[in-house]
Amino acid sequence: MVATQVAVAQEGTTEEAVAYFDSAFKDRCRPYSETLFLFDGGADEMPARFEVSWMPSFELPGDEPETATIYQFFCDAGAYNVQSAFIRFMDGHFEPLAFARPTISIENETEDYDSPVKAITVTGYESALTVTNAKFDEESQTVTARAYWRGIGDAYDEGRWVFRDGGFVLEHFEADADYDGEIDPQLSLDY
């Protein structure tokens, strides 16, 4: 998928956001029209729309706050995880928003994936265009997302990203790779 900016009317309507989402995420997510049944036909519920403003980190005296509209779209779902995609409308353009996250390697005490975790190592970083079980908090302008590795939720990874200078910046990441019935992350990173 190639992410491109698309120029639209200055206000960026929800209908234009839906058209952009369907085009930009056609190989990754369900088309918007196929998801309405999940919300009892409630087109008012999805996509969620949030207005954000911030002072740029590179502000000069007399600068005005920047503004953008963020849309959260349902992408896909499994048994206990829901994928969301976020797009931003700013300066007359829609763009997908990416989420940085560490890639990890898990070493268990034995070859069984559900044996106790010996170590979790960060092997690099990637950017993702979808996040799992995401919630956007308008007051703090943060997205939190937790991907459950199994239904009871004792094994998972979780991230928190803050909206800064027009995009989401990773603030916190944790992972619990023990399938032990307890929530006790073996990896916790704060930025």
Side-chain angles (χ1 to χ4, degrees):
M1 176 181 80
V2 175
T4 59
Q5 289 187 351
V6 176
V8 295
Q10 196 58 27
E11 60 275 356
T13 66
T14 298
E15 292 78 21
E16 291 169 324
V18 167
Y20 176 79
F21 168 79
D22 280 345
S23 173
F25 288 85
K26 69 178 182 251
D27 296 330
R28 183 178 301 271
C29 299
R30 293 176 185 263
Y32 175 75
S33 62
E34 288 182 14
T35 66
L36 293 180
F37 75 94
L38 296 169
F39 306 99
D40 296 324
D44 292 339
E45 293 181 38
M46 277 293 177
R49 179 182 170 135
F50 309 101
E51 304 298 326
V52 295
S53 65
W54 68 97
M55 289 304 292
S57 60
F58 49 83
E59 75 177 284
L60 300 172
D63 280 354
E64 296 292 321
E66 297 279 339
T67 61
T69 303
I70 297 173
Y71 294 88
Q72 179 180 358
F73 282 88
F74 170 87
C75 180
D76 210 345
Y80 36 83
N81 287 312
V82 174
Q83 295 291 317
S84 293
F86 287 80
I87 63 173
R88 176 190 72 199
F89 179 78
M90 186 175 155
D91 298 330
H93 300 280
F94 285 103
E95 291 183 288
L97 289 168
F99 295 82
R101 52 179 291 121
T103 56
I104 58 176
S105 174
I106 301 163
E107 182 183 353
N108 295 83
E109 289 183 4
T110 69
E111 291 185 17
D112 293 329
Y113 76 93
D114 60 350
S115 69
V117 171
K118 192 172 177 182
I120 298 180
T121 306
V122 174
T123 59
Y125 287 83
E126 64 184 355
S127 62
L129 292 176
T130 60
V131 286
T132 307
N133 301 321
K135 293 183 176 97
F136 182 74
D137 180 75
E138 290 183 82
E139 187 175 321
S140 63
Q141 295 189 354
T142 58
V143 167
T144 56
R146 179 179 278 200
Y148 296 106
W149 297 2
R150 70 175 179 173
I152 66 170
D154 62 336
Y156 66 91
D157 63 69
E158 178 177 287
R160 183 179 65 243
W161 298 263
V162 63
F163 194 75
R164 188 178 303 143
D165 286 332
F168 285 106
V169 177
L170 182 63
E171 276 191 326
H172 176 79
F173 180 86
E174 67 183 43
D176 182 346
D178 270 335
Y179 293 80
D180 60 359
E182 302 290 327
I183 296 181
D184 54 347
Q186 296 81 39
L187 176 70
S188 184
L189 306 169
D190 289 299
Y191 301 95

